[in-house]
Amino acid sequence: CPCGAMAGYWDGPEGEECPRRTWLTTRVGAAAGGLVGTAYRIILLQPNSALAALQMAAADSVTM
């Protein structure tokens, strides 16, 4: 879950542990971007069934 991924972000003072904070925000950004990209692809291609849409979303998620 992206919300759980950010749990340690605010643990320390600002300006410290920058590599760890960068890694946390990168993970959340990648997850959000993947979800938005998958949603657009499903909307634009309009699969014939819910199962086809689920398969498409799963394939995109695995690729991400």
Side-chain angles (χ1 to χ4, degrees), residues 4 7 28 42:
V28 171
I42 289 172

Side-chain angles (χ1 to χ4, degrees), residues 5-36:
M6 292 296 291
Y9 184 84
W10 292 275
D11 288 347
E14 288 293 321
E16 293 183 8
E17 300 183 19
C18 294
R20 186 177 68 82
R21 288 182 173 190
T22 301
W23 173 245
L24 290 171
T25 55
T26 300
R27 286 183 1 195
V28 171
L35 291 173
V36 170

Side-chain angles (χ1 to χ4, degrees), residues 37-58:
T38 298
Y40 275 117
R41 183 169 180 233
I42 289 172
I43 290 169
L44 290 175
L45 294 180
Q46 296 182 356
N48 294 330
S49 68
L51 179 61
L54 183 62
Q55 289 172 331
M56 186 183 297

